Amino acid sequence: MIAWLNFASLLLAALLFWYFYVKSVGPAALEQKIGPTAYRRCGVYRTIAILFELIAAGNYVVYALYPLPLPLPTQFAWGWPVSVAIALLIGIPSLWLMVKGMLDAGMEAAFPSKEHTLYGGIYNKMRHPQAVGEVFLWWVIAFLLNSPHLVVISFIWLPIFYHMCVAEERDLVLRYGRPYTEYQQRTGFLWPKLNVSGD
């Protein structure tokens, strides 16, 4: 019973994280409807989204203790030290990418602001470093918990984060206009764009 309740809670937390995060990345569109308070409201949505993401992370820990009765082993055959090594191989670059993106975005990472300009730093290479780094941290948690179930379940985050990035791009085009569309042409969406012209 605990396993099913926890799994339901995990799915609900993931969906609510998705819902509120998508709402949080639409301040320019919301401003057209409600005025300048839109940015503050989107900051509230972002905070709520983060809380649901933390709940989902807690559900992962509970899941490791109370897994669903699935036709999969509950732990990897190779043992926990190997899983930790895999987690580190995934986690170190992912965490670096997420933190670097947060630092280069500044306060905008958590609190959208109308006065914020286009980002620099790592954003000169790719448009969504935080999302790319963050999405892989779910596999880090899964391997740290040595759970094949959670490794499989973590795939639910791929479409969630992808859709969040697409939703954010729509609002950024509305917010910044032509400078953002030109920026989109220069940079990669989820991966640095290769310079095929040789410039």
Side-chain angles (χ1 to χ4, degrees):
M1 184 67 170
I2 293 175
W4 285 105
L5 287 173
N6 180 64
F7 184 66
S9 175
L10 168 59
L11 292 180
L12 182 61
L15 289 173
L16 288 170
F17 163 71
W18 184 8
Y19 173 77
F20 281 105
Y21 200 92
V22 167
K23 286 181 75 69
S24 82
V25 296
L30 185 60
E31 184 182 33
Q32 293 178 345
K33 296 176 183 176
I34 69 168
T37 61
Y39 285 84
R40 188 168 57 249
R41 184 176 295 185
C42 285
V44 172
Y45 292 149
R46 184 79 48 91
T47 302
I48 294 169
I50 292 167
L51 290 174
F52 281 116
E53 189 176 25
L54 291 172
I55 290 169
N59 291 133
Y60 265 50
V61 174
V62 174
Y63 191 99
L65 300 171
Y66 299 97
L68 291 178
L70 300 175
L72 277 174
T74 57
Q75 294 191 340
F76 288 107
W78 53 62
W80 189 66
V82 175
S83 290
V84 170
I86 295 169
L88 289 173
L89 283 172
I90 300 168
I92 291 171
S94 297
L95 193 59
W96 178 86
L97 197 56
M98 186 181 83
V99 171
K100 177 68 172 152
M102 289 172 68
L103 292 174
D104 289 347
M107 290 301 292
E108 182 81 7
F111 303 104
S113 168
K114 188 175 174 66
E115 290 73 34
H116 204 281
T117 58
L118 288 172
Y119 311 151
I122 197 168
Y123 290 90
N124 290 325
K125 302 292 183 187
M126 59 192 296
R127 301 197 300 275
H128 298 280
Q130 291 180 66
V132 173
E134 190 173 339
V135 73
F136 287 105
L137 294 181
W138 292 102
W139 279 276
V140 172
I141 298 170
F143 278 109
L144 287 176
L145 294 169
N146 203 30
S147 171
H149 290 204
L150 289 171
V151 167
V152 173
I153 289 169
S154 294
F155 281 95
I156 69 168
W157 297 102
L158 291 175
I160 289 174
F161 275 82
Y162 179 81
H163 180 255
M164 289 179 346
C165 293
V166 170
E168 185 174 23
E169 294 253 321
R170 280 195 300 264
D171 200 75
L172 289 169
V173 169
L174 184 61
R175 186 171 169 186
Y176 295 114
R178 185 172 177 180
Y180 194 81
T181 57
E182 290 172 351
Y183 165 70
Q184 286 176 307
Q185 293 167 6
R186 294 193 308 271
T187 56
F189 180 57
L190 300 174
W191 190 258
K193 186 176 280 190
L194 297 176
N195 189 346
V196 292
S197 66
D199 294 338

mmCIF file of all heavy atoms in Angstrom, residues 115-159:
data_model
loop_
_atom_site.group_PDB
_atom_site.id
_atom_site.type_symbol
_atom_site.label_atom_id
_atom_site.label_comp_id
_atom_site.label_asym_id
_atom_site.label_seq_id
_atom_site.Cartn_x
_atom_site.Cartn_y
_atom_site.Cartn_z
ATOM 1 N N GLU A 115 13.274 43.489 -16.137
ATOM 2 C CA GLU A 115 14.463 44.278 -16.448
ATOM 3 C C GLU A 115 15.638 43.413 -16.884
ATOM 4 O O GLU A 115 16.655 43.928 -17.348
ATOM 5 C CB GLU A 115 14.888 45.104 -15.221
ATOM 6 C CG GLU A 115 13.941 46.239 -14.875
ATOM 7 C CD GLU A 115 12.625 45.761 -14.253
ATOM 8 O OE1 GLU A 115 12.647 44.742 -13.522
ATOM 9 O OE2 GLU A 115 11.586 46.387 -14.521
ATOM 10 N N HIS A 116 15.531 42.104 -16.723
ATOM 11 C CA HIS A 116 16.663 41.221 -17.034
ATOM 12 C C HIS A 116 16.940 41.197 -18.528
ATOM 13 O O HIS A 116 16.025 41.167 -19.342
ATOM 14 C CB HIS A 116 16.376 39.802 -16.539
ATOM 15 C CG HIS A 116 17.624 39.018 -16.298
ATOM 16 N ND1 HIS A 116 18.335 38.428 -17.313
ATOM 17 C CD2 HIS A 116 18.292 38.736 -15.163
ATOM 18 C CE1 HIS A 116 19.379 37.801 -16.805
ATOM 19 N NE2 HIS A 116 19.383 37.977 -15.506
ATOM 20 N N THR A 117 18.220 41.247 -18.887
ATOM 21 C CA THR A 117 18.614 41.187 -20.295
ATOM 22 C C THR A 117 18.966 39.749 -20.664
ATOM 23 O O THR A 117 18.987 38.866 -19.807
ATOM 24 C CB THR A 117 19.820 42.106 -20.537
ATOM 25 O OG1 THR A 117 20.890 41.695 -19.675
ATOM 26 C CG2 THR A 117 19.469 43.558 -20.242
ATOM 27 N N LEU A 118 19.271 39.534 -21.933
ATOM 28 C CA LEU A 118 19.681 38.193 -22.362
ATOM 29 C C LEU A 118 20.935 37.764 -21.611
ATOM 30 O O LEU A 118 21.800 38.570 -21.299
ATOM 31 C CB LEU A 118 19.948 38.180 -23.876
ATOM 32 C CG LEU A 118 18.710 38.265 -24.770
ATOM 33 C CD1 LEU A 118 19.115 38.438 -26.224
ATOM 34 C CD2 LEU A 118 17.847 37.032 -24.615
ATOM 35 N N TYR A 119 21.018 36.476 -21.322
ATOM 36 C CA TYR A 119 22.127 35.955 -20.528
ATOM 37 C C TYR A 119 23.426 35.905 -21.330
ATOM 38 O O TYR A 119 23.414 35.864 -22.551
ATOM 39 C CB TYR A 119 21.834 34.535 -20.047
ATOM 40 C CG TYR A 119 20.497 34.326 -19.399
ATOM 41 C CD1 TYR A 119 19.877 33.094 -19.461
ATOM 42 C CD2 TYR A 119 19.850 35.335 -18.713
ATOM 43 C CE1 TYR A 119 18.647 32.864 -18.856
ATOM 44 C CE2 TYR A 119 18.623 35.127 -18.106
ATOM 45 C CZ TYR A 119 18.027 33.881 -18.187
ATOM 46 O OH TYR A 119 16.829 33.670 -17.596
ATOM 47 N N GLY A 120 24.542 35.831 -20.588
ATOM 48 C CA GLY A 120 25.848 35.614 -21.202
ATOM 49 C C GLY A 120 26.427 34.297 -20.693
ATOM 50 O O GLY A 120 25.695 33.399 -20.297
ATOM 51 N N GLY A 121 27.741 34.208 -20.658
ATOM 52 C CA GLY A 121 28.401 33.007 -20.150
ATOM 53 C C GLY A 121 28.073 31.773 -20.964
ATOM 54 O O GLY A 121 28.127 31.787 -22.193
ATOM 55 N N ILE A 122 27.689 30.721 -20.273
ATOM 56 C CA ILE A 122 27.397 29.455 -20.948
ATOM 57 C C ILE A 122 26.232 29.580 -21.919
ATOM 58 O O ILE A 122 26.112 28.825 -22.880
ATOM 59 C CB ILE A 122 27.151 28.332 -19.915
ATOM 60 C CG1 ILE A 122 27.259 26.976 -20.604
ATOM 61 C CG2 ILE A 122 25.811 28.520 -19.210
ATOM 62 C CD1 ILE A 122 27.331 25.801 -19.656
ATOM 63 N N TYR A 123 25.384 30.583 -21.692
ATOM 64 C CA TYR A 123 24.241 30.801 -22.581
ATOM 65 C C TYR A 123 24.660 31.287 -23.964
ATOM 66 O O TYR A 123 23.849 31.308 -24.886
ATOM 67 C CB TYR A 123 23.248 31.770 -21.945
ATOM 68 C CG TYR A 123 22.539 31.162 -20.768
ATOM 69 C CD1 TYR A 123 23.058 31.278 -19.485
ATOM 70 C CD2 TYR A 123 21.371 30.426 -20.935
ATOM 71 C CE1 TYR A 123 22.431 30.690 -18.395
ATOM 72 C CE2 TYR A 123 20.734 29.835 -19.852
ATOM 73 C CZ TYR A 123 21.268 29.971 -18.592
ATOM 74 O OH TYR A 123 20.643 29.377 -17.523
ATOM 75 N N ASN A 124 25.923 31.666 -24.127
ATOM 76 C CA ASN A 124 26.421 31.990 -25.461
ATOM 77 C C ASN A 124 26.625 30.731 -26.290
ATOM 78 O O ASN A 124 26.819 30.818 -27.505
ATOM 79 C CB ASN A 124 27.743 32.769 -25.368
ATOM 80 C CG ASN A 124 27.521 34.174 -24.829
ATOM 81 O OD1 ASN A 124 26.512 34.803 -25.107
ATOM 82 N ND2 ASN A 124 28.478 34.658 -24.051
ATOM 83 N N LYS A 125 26.613 29.576 -25.644
ATOM 84 C CA LYS A 125 26.821 28.297 -26.331
ATOM 85 C C LYS A 125 25.536 27.485 -26.472
ATOM 86 O O LYS A 125 25.328 26.812 -27.465
ATOM 87 C CB LYS A 125 27.853 27.448 -25.572
ATOM 88 C CG LYS A 125 29.198 28.108 -25.390
ATOM 89 C CD LYS A 125 29.905 28.259 -26.717
ATOM 90 C CE LYS A 125 31.285 28.865 -26.529
ATOM 91 N NZ LYS A 125 31.935 29.173 -27.799
ATOM 92 N N MET A 126 24.699 27.497 -25.423
ATOM 93 C CA MET A 126 23.459 26.720 -25.432
ATOM 94 C C MET A 126 22.396 27.454 -24.649
ATOM 95 O O MET A 126 22.708 28.213 -23.730
ATOM 96 C CB MET A 126 23.694 25.314 -24.871
ATOM 97 C CG MET A 126 24.231 25.280 -23.464
ATOM 98 S SD MET A 126 24.815 23.656 -22.924
ATOM 99 C CE MET A 126 23.332 22.690 -22.943
ATOM 100 N N ARG A 127 21.138 27.215 -24.994
ATOM 101 C CA ARG A 127 20.060 28.030 -24.437
ATOM 102 C C ARG A 127 19.467 27.475 -23.142
ATOM 103 O O ARG A 127 18.825 28.216 -22.409
ATOM 104 C CB ARG A 127 18.956 28.215 -25.493
ATOM 105 C CG ARG A 127 19.493 28.880 -26.752
ATOM 106 C CD ARG A 127 18.414 29.440 -27.641
ATOM 107 N NE ARG A 127 17.445 28.497 -28.143
ATOM 108 C CZ ARG A 127 17.601 27.747 -29.235
ATOM 109 N NH1 ARG A 127 18.737 27.776 -29.911
ATOM 110 N NH2 ARG A 127 16.627 26.951 -29.642
ATOM 111 N N HIS A 128 19.659 26.197 -22.858
ATOM 112 C CA HIS A 128 19.023 25.620 -21.668
ATOM 113 C C HIS A 128 19.985 24.733 -20.859
ATOM 114 O O HIS A 128 19.689 23.565 -20.598
ATOM 115 C CB HIS A 128 17.771 24.838 -22.069
ATOM 116 C CG HIS A 128 16.741 25.688 -22.716
ATOM 117 N ND1 HIS A 128 15.883 26.496 -21.992
ATOM 118 C CD2 HIS A 128 16.455 25.899 -24.026
ATOM 119 C CE1 HIS A 128 15.102 27.149 -22.836
ATOM 120 N NE2 HIS A 128 15.429 26.812 -24.067
ATOM 121 N N PRO A 129 21.107 25.292 -20.421
ATOM 122 C CA PRO A 129 22.062 24.468 -19.655
ATOM 123 C C PRO A 129 21.504 23.987 -18.319
ATOM 124 O O PRO A 129 21.800 22.872 -17.890
ATOM 125 C CB PRO A 129 23.260 25.407 -19.460
ATOM 126 C CG PRO A 129 22.684 26.792 -19.564
ATOM 127 C CD PRO A 129 21.575 26.673 -20.565
ATOM 128 N N GLN A 130 20.694 24.804 -17.664
ATOM 129 C CA GLN A 130 20.136 24.379 -16.379
ATOM 130 C C GLN A 130 19.256 23.152 -16.542
ATOM 131 O O GLN A 130 19.348 22.191 -15.774
ATOM 132 C CB GLN A 130 19.309 25.506 -15.748
ATOM 133 C CG GLN A 130 20.124 26.689 -15.282
ATOM 134 C CD GLN A 130 19.223 27.746 -14.685
ATOM 135 O OE1 GLN A 130 18.609 27.522 -13.644
ATOM 136 N NE2 GLN A 130 19.125 28.892 -15.324
ATOM 137 N N ALA A 131 18.400 23.174 -17.540
ATOM 138 C CA ALA A 131 17.487 22.052 -17.760
ATOM 139 C C ALA A 131 18.252 20.785 -18.122
ATOM 140 O O ALA A 131 17.951 19.697 -17.609
ATOM 141 C CB ALA A 131 16.480 22.397 -18.856
ATOM 142 N N VAL A 132 19.247 20.915 -18.996
ATOM 143 C CA VAL A 132 20.028 19.740 -19.404
ATOM 144 C C VAL A 132 20.759 19.151 -18.202
ATOM 145 O O VAL A 132 20.758 17.932 -17.993
ATOM 146 C CB VAL A 132 21.022 20.100 -20.527
ATOM 147 C CG1 VAL A 132 21.943 18.925 -20.833
ATOM 148 C CG2 VAL A 132 20.275 20.522 -21.789
ATOM 149 N N GLY A 133 21.358 20.012 -17.386
ATOM 150 C CA GLY A 133 22.049 19.506 -16.201
ATOM 151 C C GLY A 133 21.096 18.904 -15.192
ATOM 152 O O GLY A 133 21.342 17.824 -14.646
ATOM 153 N N GLU A 134 19.984 19.572 -14.975
ATOM 154 C CA GLU A 134 19.050 19.145 -13.937
ATOM 155 C C GLU A 134 18.341 17.836 -14.266
ATOM 156 O O GLU A 134 18.144 16.993 -13.399
ATOM 157 C CB GLU A 134 18.020 20.251 -13.704
ATOM 158 C CG GLU A 134 17.143 20.045 -12.501
ATOM 159 C CD GLU A 134 16.256 21.255 -12.239
ATOM 160 O OE1 GLU A 134 16.578 22.368 -12.716
ATOM 161 O OE2 GLU A 134 15.239 21.074 -11.562
ATOM 162 N N VAL A 135 17.973 17.640 -15.523
ATOM 163 C CA VAL A 135 17.203 16.442 -15.863
ATOM 164 C C VAL A 135 18.003 15.170 -15.588
ATOM 165 O O VAL A 135 17.454 14.156 -15.143
ATOM 166 C CB VAL A 135 16.701 16.484 -17.328
ATOM 167 C CG1 VAL A 135 17.817 16.261 -18.340
ATOM 168 C CG2 VAL A 135 15.583 15.468 -17.533
ATOM 169 N N PHE A 136 19.307 15.215 -15.782
ATOM 170 C CA PHE A 136 20.119 14.012 -15.557
ATOM 171 C C PHE A 136 20.372 13.736 -14.080
ATOM 172 O O PHE A 136 20.786 12.635 -13.712
ATOM 173 C CB PHE A 136 21.428 14.100 -16.335
ATOM 174 C CG PHE A 136 21.222 13.914 -17.812
ATOM 175 C CD1 PHE A 136 21.280 14.996 -18.672
ATOM 176 C CD2 PHE A 136 20.927 12.663 -18.336
ATOM 177 C CE1 PHE A 136 21.058 14.832 -20.029
ATOM 178 C CE2 PHE A 136 20.709 12.486 -19.686
ATOM 179 C CZ PHE A 136 20.772 13.582 -20.541
ATOM 180 N N LEU A 137 20.098 14.721 -13.234
ATOM 181 C CA LEU A 137 20.267 14.482 -11.795
ATOM 182 C C LEU A 137 19.262 13.463 -11.258
ATOM 183 O O LEU A 137 19.497 12.846 -10.220
ATOM 184 C CB LEU A 137 20.172 15.801 -11.023
ATOM 185 C CG LEU A 137 21.308 16.796 -11.303
ATOM 186 C CD1 LEU A 137 21.127 18.056 -10.471
ATOM 187 C CD2 LEU A 137 22.677 16.176 -11.035
ATOM 188 N N TRP A 138 18.155 13.254 -11.982
ATOM 189 C CA TRP A 138 17.208 12.213 -11.549
ATOM 190 C C TRP A 138 17.838 10.824 -11.665
ATOM 191 O O TRP A 138 17.605 9.960 -10.829
ATOM 192 C CB TRP A 138 15.907 12.311 -12.344
ATOM 193 C CG TRP A 138 15.182 13.566 -11.997
ATOM 194 C CD1 TRP A 138 15.112 14.718 -12.712
ATOM 195 C CD2 TRP A 138 14.469 13.824 -10.779
ATOM 196 N NE1 TRP A 138 14.398 15.679 -12.031
ATOM 197 C CE2 TRP A 138 13.985 15.153 -10.837
ATOM 198 C CE3 TRP A 138 14.185 13.062 -9.638
ATOM 199 C CZ2 TRP A 138 13.235 15.727 -9.819
ATOM 200 C CZ3 TRP A 138 13.437 13.632 -8.622
ATOM 201 C CH2 TRP A 138 12.977 14.937 -8.711
ATOM 202 N N TRP A 139 18.679 10.624 -12.682
ATOM 203 C CA TRP A 139 19.390 9.348 -12.791
ATOM 204 C C TRP A 139 20.472 9.250 -11.732
ATOM 205 O O TRP A 139 20.745 8.165 -11.236
ATOM 206 C CB TRP A 139 19.966 9.176 -14.199
ATOM 207 C CG TRP A 139 18.938 8.691 -15.162
ATOM 208 C CD1 TRP A 139 18.563 7.395 -15.368
ATOM 209 C CD2 TRP A 139 18.129 9.477 -16.020
ATOM 210 N NE1 TRP A 139 17.567 7.339 -16.311
ATOM 211 C CE2 TRP A 139 17.284 8.606 -16.731
ATOM 212 C CE3 TRP A 139 18.022 10.843 -16.270
ATOM 213 C CZ2 TRP A 139 16.351 9.045 -17.672
ATOM 214 C CZ3 TRP A 139 17.102 11.283 -17.201
ATOM 215 C CH2 TRP A 139 16.280 10.394 -17.884
ATOM 216 N N VAL A 140 21.049 10.373 -11.370
ATOM 217 C CA VAL A 140 22.034 10.369 -10.281
ATOM 218 C C VAL A 140 21.388 9.856 -8.996
ATOM 219 O O VAL A 140 21.929 8.981 -8.320
ATOM 220 C CB VAL A 140 22.638 11.782 -10.081
ATOM 221 C CG1 VAL A 140 23.514 11.823 -8.837
ATOM 222 C CG2 VAL A 140 23.434 12.205 -11.314
ATOM 223 N N ILE A 141 20.226 10.390 -8.663
ATOM 224 C CA ILE A 141 19.514 9.936 -7.459
ATOM 225 C C ILE A 141 19.193 8.450 -7.568
ATOM 226 O O ILE A 141 19.391 7.681 -6.619
ATOM 227 C CB ILE A 141 18.221 10.749 -7.238
ATOM 228 C CG1 ILE A 141 18.533 12.229 -7.010
ATOM 229 C CG2 ILE A 141 17.425 10.189 -6.051
ATOM 230 C CD1 ILE A 141 17.297 13.129 -7.021
ATOM 231 N N ALA A 142 18.710 8.031 -8.750
ATOM 232 C CA ALA A 142 18.339 6.629 -8.952
ATOM 233 C C ALA A 142 19.529 5.696 -8.741
ATOM 234 O O ALA A 142 19.408 4.654 -8.082
ATOM 235 C CB ALA A 142 17.756 6.440 -10.352
ATOM 236 N N PHE A 143 20.697 6.066 -9.274
ATOM 237 C CA PHE A 143 21.881 5.206 -9.092
ATOM 238 C C PHE A 143 22.402 5.266 -7.670
ATOM 239 O O PHE A 143 22.853 4.251 -7.130
ATOM 240 C CB PHE A 143 22.972 5.582 -10.103
ATOM 241 C CG PHE A 143 22.758 4.968 -11.454
ATOM 242 C CD1 PHE A 143 22.388 5.747 -12.536
ATOM 243 C CD2 PHE A 143 22.922 3.604 -11.655
ATOM 244 C CE1 PHE A 143 22.176 5.187 -13.788
ATOM 245 C CE2 PHE A 143 22.717 3.019 -12.904
ATOM 246 C CZ PHE A 143 22.341 3.817 -13.972
ATOM 247 N N LEU A 144 22.347 6.432 -7.034
ATOM 248 C CA LEU A 144 22.770 6.512 -5.634
ATOM 249 C C LEU A 144 21.903 5.624 -4.746
ATOM 250 O O LEU A 144 22.379 5.077 -3.745
ATOM 251 C CB LEU A 144 22.728 7.956 -5.136
ATOM 252 C CG LEU A 144 23.827 8.880 -5.653
ATOM 253 C CD1 LEU A 144 23.601 10.300 -5.168
ATOM 254 C CD2 LEU A 144 25.216 8.376 -5.232
ATOM 255 N N LEU A 145 20.635 5.470 -5.127
ATOM 256 C CA LEU A 145 19.729 4.594 -4.386
ATOM 257 C C LEU A 145 19.802 3.151 -4.897
ATOM 258 O O LEU A 145 19.092 2.283 -4.393
ATOM 259 C CB LEU A 145 18.296 5.128 -4.480
ATOM 260 C CG LEU A 145 18.068 6.473 -3.784
ATOM 261 C CD1 LEU A 145 16.713 7.062 -4.157
ATOM 262 C CD2 LEU A 145 18.205 6.335 -2.271
ATOM 263 N N ASN A 146 20.656 2.921 -5.912
ATOM 264 C CA ASN A 146 20.916 1.581 -6.453
ATOM 265 C C ASN A 146 19.632 0.903 -6.951
ATOM 266 O O ASN A 146 19.446 -0.300 -6.796
ATOM 267 C CB ASN A 146 21.610 0.707 -5.405
ATOM 268 C CG ASN A 146 22.381 -0.445 -6.008
ATOM 269 O OD1 ASN A 146 22.887 -0.339 -7.128
ATOM 270 N ND2 ASN A 146 22.458 -1.555 -5.304
ATOM 271 N N SER A 147 18.759 1.690 -7.577
ATOM 272 C CA SER A 147 17.429 1.200 -7.934
ATOM 273 C C SER A 147 17.202 1.154 -9.443
ATOM 274 O O SER A 147 17.057 2.199 -10.086
ATOM 275 C CB SER A 147 16.356 2.098 -7.298
ATOM 276 O OG SER A 147 15.081 1.770 -7.788
ATOM 277 N N PRO A 148 17.145 -0.060 -10.031
ATOM 278 C CA PRO A 148 16.793 -0.159 -11.452
ATOM 279 C C PRO A 148 15.403 0.416 -11.741
ATOM 280 O O PRO A 148 15.185 1.007 -12.804
ATOM 281 C CB PRO A 148 16.809 -1.670 -11.730
ATOM 282 C CG PRO A 148 17.606 -2.271 -10.631
ATOM 283 C CD PRO A 148 17.426 -1.373 -9.442
ATOM 284 N N HIS A 149 14.470 0.253 -10.810
ATOM 285 C CA HIS A 149 13.126 0.811 -10.978
ATOM 286 C C HIS A 149 13.211 2.318 -11.213
ATOM 287 O O HIS A 149 12.587 2.859 -12.132
ATOM 288 C CB HIS A 149 12.270 0.568 -9.734
ATOM 289 C CG HIS A 149 11.873 -0.849 -9.517
ATOM 290 N ND1 HIS A 149 10.768 -1.194 -8.784
ATOM 291 C CD2 HIS A 149 12.415 -2.025 -9.910
ATOM 292 C CE1 HIS A 149 10.651 -2.503 -8.732
ATOM 293 N NE2 HIS A 149 11.652 -3.031 -9.398
ATOM 294 N N LEU A 150 13.967 3.006 -10.362
ATOM 295 C CA LEU A 150 14.048 4.462 -10.457
ATOM 296 C C LEU A 150 14.797 4.919 -11.700
ATOM 297 O O LEU A 150 14.506 5.988 -12.247
ATOM 298 C CB LEU A 150 14.685 5.041 -9.191
ATOM 299 C CG LEU A 150 13.806 4.955 -7.943
ATOM 300 C CD1 LEU A 150 14.598 5.356 -6.702
ATOM 301 C CD2 LEU A 150 12.561 5.829 -8.090
ATOM 302 N N VAL A 151 15.741 4.105 -12.155
ATOM 303 C CA VAL A 151 16.421 4.432 -13.416
ATOM 304 C C VAL A 151 15.406 4.455 -14.552
ATOM 305 O O VAL A 151 15.407 5.367 -15.394
ATOM 306 C CB VAL A 151 17.566 3.434 -13.697
ATOM 307 C CG1 VAL A 151 18.061 3.568 -15.136
ATOM 308 C CG2 VAL A 151 18.718 3.664 -12.722
ATOM 309 N N VAL A 152 14.505 3.486 -14.576
ATOM 310 C CA VAL A 152 13.462 3.443 -15.613
ATOM 311 C C VAL A 152 12.458 4.584 -15.414
ATOM 312 O O VAL A 152 12.101 5.295 -16.362
ATOM 313 C CB VAL A 152 12.750 2.070 -15.608
ATOM 314 C CG1 VAL A 152 11.560 2.081 -16.558
ATOM 315 C CG2 VAL A 152 13.725 0.964 -15.976
ATOM 316 N N ILE A 153 12.015 4.777 -14.179
ATOM 317 C CA ILE A 153 11.038 5.830 -13.883
ATOM 318 C C ILE A 153 11.572 7.211 -14.258
ATOM 319 O O ILE A 153 10.812 8.092 -14.677
ATOM 320 C CB ILE A 153 10.632 5.782 -12.392
ATOM 321 C CG1 ILE A 153 9.774 4.529 -12.135
ATOM 322 C CG2 ILE A 153 9.877 7.036 -11.970
ATOM 323 C CD1 ILE A 153 9.542 4.226 -10.661
ATOM 324 N N SER A 154 12.884 7.401 -14.150
ATOM 325 C CA SER A 154 13.485 8.709 -14.430
ATOM 326 C C SER A 154 13.262 9.184 -15.860
ATOM 327 O O SER A 154 13.371 10.378 -16.138
ATOM 328 C CB SER A 154 14.980 8.684 -14.112
ATOM 329 O OG SER A 154 15.181 8.509 -12.725
ATOM 330 N N PHE A 155 12.927 8.278 -16.758
ATOM 331 C CA PHE A 155 12.659 8.696 -18.141
ATOM 332 C C PHE A 155 11.434 9.604 -18.242
ATOM 333 O O PHE A 155 11.285 10.316 -19.241
ATOM 334 C CB PHE A 155 12.520 7.470 -19.054
ATOM 335 C CG PHE A 155 13.845 6.884 -19.435
ATOM 336 C CD1 PHE A 155 14.387 5.839 -18.713
ATOM 337 C CD2 PHE A 155 14.566 7.401 -20.507
ATOM 338 C CE1 PHE A 155 15.619 5.312 -19.047
ATOM 339 C CE2 PHE A 155 15.812 6.874 -20.852
ATOM 340 C CZ PHE A 155 16.335 5.821 -20.119
ATOM 341 N N ILE A 156 10.569 9.613 -17.240
ATOM 342 C CA ILE A 156 9.401 10.513 -17.291
ATOM 343 C C ILE A 156 9.829 11.976 -17.311
ATOM 344 O O ILE A 156 9.075 12.837 -17.781
ATOM 345 C CB ILE A 156 8.408 10.287 -16.119
ATOM 346 C CG1 ILE A 156 9.010 10.720 -14.782
ATOM 347 C CG2 ILE A 156 7.902 8.864 -16.089
ATOM 348 C CD1 ILE A 156 8.007 10.799 -13.634
ATOM 349 N N TRP A 157 11.033 12.262 -16.800
ATOM 350 C CA TRP A 157 11.477 13.654 -16.719
ATOM 351 C C TRP A 157 11.908 14.218 -18.065
ATOM 352 O O TRP A 157 11.913 15.439 -18.254
ATOM 353 C CB TRP A 157 12.611 13.787 -15.700
ATOM 354 C CG TRP A 157 12.169 13.428 -14.331
ATOM 355 C CD1 TRP A 157 12.399 12.258 -13.663
ATOM 356 C CD2 TRP A 157 11.365 14.221 -13.450
ATOM 357 N NE1 TRP A 157 11.798 12.280 -12.426
ATOM 358 C CE2 TRP A 157 11.159 13.469 -12.266
ATOM 359 C CE3 TRP A 157 10.798 15.488 -13.538
ATOM 360 C CZ2 TRP A 157 10.422 13.949 -11.191
ATOM 361 C CZ3 TRP A 157 10.068 15.971 -12.471
ATOM 362 C CH2 TRP A 157 9.887 15.206 -11.318
ATOM 363 N N LEU A 158 12.273 13.351 -19.026
ATOM 364 C CA LEU A 158 12.742 13.853 -20.323
ATOM 365 C C LEU A 158 11.673 14.677 -21.047
ATOM 366 O O LEU A 158 11.946 15.819 -21.432
ATOM 367 C CB LEU A 158 13.240 12.699 -21.200
ATOM 368 C CG LEU A 158 14.545 12.039 -20.721
ATOM 369 C CD1 LEU A 158 14.867 10.839 -21.600
ATOM 370 C CD2 LEU A 158 15.701 13.031 -20.720
ATOM 371 N N PRO A 159 10.450 14.154 -21.244
ATOM 372 C CA PRO A 159 9.451 15.010 -21.908
ATOM 373 C C PRO A 159 9.036 16.216 -21.068
ATOM 374 O O PRO A 159 8.699 17.273 -21.617
ATOM 375 C CB PRO A 159 8.262 14.058 -22.154
ATOM 376 C CG PRO A 159 8.451 12.936 -21.196
ATOM 377 C CD PRO A 159 9.936 12.804 -21.001
#
